[in-house]
Amino acid sequence: MTEKQELILETALKLFAERGFDTTPTSQIAKEAGVSEGLIFRHFTNKEGLMDAILAMSEERMGRHVKSIVALPEPLAKIHATIELPVKLFSEEREFWKLQFSLKWQKKYRGQSYRPSGYYLELVEVLTDAFRQLGYAEPQKEVLLLVMLLDGLSNQLMQQPSEAFIAQTLSFLKSKYQQSQLKS
Amino acid sequence: MTEKQELILETALKLFAERGFDTTPTSQIAKEAGVSEGLIFRHFTNKEGLMDAILAMSEERMGRHVKSIVALPEPLAKIHATIELPVKLFSEEREFWKLQFSLKWQKKYRGQSYRPSGYYLELVEVLTDAFRQLGYAEPQKEVLLLVMLLDGLSNQLMQQPSEAFIAQTLSFLKSKYQQSQLKS
DNA sequence: ACTAAAAGTGAGTAATCACTTACAAAACTA
DNA sequence: TAGTTTTGTAAGTGATTACTCACTTTTAGT
């Protein structure tokens, strides 16, 4: 991976997140990255090849996050860390994850990027077990509910990313998952 | 609104939902609608004009749904009806609402279609009141949580729209909002 | 230092796209 | 029925786009 290759990837990521995949011309990517347009195609063959390279990074980064959650010893800590995941994602690499979420609705990439990855399935399993250990009656459904919640939270974060709002929301969510809460 | 005008709108809606706004050429809309391409521009001036017409329908339809929820007498009934809203939306007019959700991530239309409409604000107010009446300690945050949940539910519905899954998920969600539940 | 492969350039090019225009058929109005 | 507006069409057109190609420069192995 040469220096210019990374520059192209970074610039493409930024522009795809800002303006969308279809509406970002390769000419603009080249211009803002300060390279010739031809170089994009030398390294990534296609415009889609560019996107594929970005998607590959996604898998890897998400894998690291999941690993650190799975490694936690306490079941409740795993759940709380999962709740914090979207906030962590967005605070660290906003554009990157914004792009990820927008892809969910684009037919071309729905199968590719949102075919549940191995990491996602592992997280689901670990969370199911965590809920079971905490005595929840229907651990699988609880995981589904948590996943939906975090999906919605991600949407909210895109629209209202103020620190105060985030802190408030996080602590409220966590208060819903406490040892003292009802496990219906 | 002539017959061909409606035909164009329906076809555009279908194609925009399937393939996305930017990747659907006006030529294809014309072809599938069985009209000349020029007619699209005669009636809707722009490709954006087409989208605006579709978006206008959205406001109106959502308004009807919100009205029927607001009209319910019992606070708990209001909450349960809100939980059912995404399922109702998707079962009735799948493509239409799919398009709506995908628009959230497109810069061009984020302000336009997702500037919280009057109907949305009304629903939030009514729900806040419903939670308060039910004795919840932090009604405003409960509404936020419910909104996030339904956002996530909508995502799930797009990926797994099986009847069994929907029924199961709905009843589980409703069970979380019962008179007998904790109101922390 | 010699050389071959890899990195990089920039001027094309064919295809596609949103939109226009000149014109014809229908529908309405008197 | 004559005249006018509205609805509809078909054949463009200029701009844009993803991608290519012939070429030069840099890098790396021996």
Side-chain angles (χ1 to χ4, degrees), chain A residues 5-16:
Chain A
Q5 248 170 315
E6 285 185 27
L7 216 88
I8 290 171
L9 271 183
E10 270 176 48
T11 311
L13 167 59
K14 193 191 101 197
L15 291 176
F16 286 166

Side-chain angles (χ1 to χ4, degrees), chain B residues 24-26 37 41 46-47:
Chain B
T24 307
T26 51
E37 199 178 348
F41 295 93
N46 269 346
K47 199 184 174 186

Side-chain angles (χ1 to χ4, degrees), chain A residues 92-142:
Chain A
E92 282 171 11
E93 279 142 317
R94 198 147 206 285
E95 323 240 293
F96 187 84
W97 297 108
K98 187 169 135 193
L99 180 60
Q100 285 301 118
F101 276 89
S102 75
L103 251 38
K104 230 190 312 202
W105 300 99
Q106 288 189 245
K107 200 182 187 182
K108 203 190 297 176
Y109 287 102
R110 212 177 300 153
Q112 209 157 324
S113 90
Y114 263 84
R115 180 181 333 118
S117 72
Y119 292 122
Y120 174 78
L121 294 176
E122 189 188 352
L123 183 60
V124 166
E125 242 178 76
V126 167
L127 285 175
T128 309
D129 212 55
F131 277 115
R132 201 190 331 270
Q133 283 181 51
L134 288 173
Y136 280 78
E138 302 187 90
Q140 290 184 19
K141 288 183 183 176
E142 293 289 347

Side-chain angles (χ1 to χ4, degrees), chain B residues 117-132:
Chain B
S117 71
Y119 292 121
Y120 175 78
L121 293 177
E122 188 187 354
L123 183 59
V124 166
E125 241 178 76
V126 166
L127 285 174
T128 310
D129 211 55
F131 276 116
R132 201 190 330 270

Side-chain angles (χ1 to χ4, degrees), chain B residues 4-45:
Chain B
K4 303 221 166 184
Q5 247 170 316
E6 284 185 26
L7 218 92
I8 290 171
L9 270 183
E10 269 176 47
T11 311
L13 166 60
K14 193 191 101 197
L15 291 176
F16 286 166
E18 271 176 17
R19 308 154 112 85
F21 177 78
D22 301 300
T23 46
T24 307
T26 51
S27 59
Q28 201 190 344
I29 299 172
K31 203 173 148 194
E32 290 202 22
V35 299
S36 70
E37 199 178 348
L39 192 59
I40 293 175
F41 295 93
R42 163 125 309 166
H43 284 311
F44 302 99
T45 19

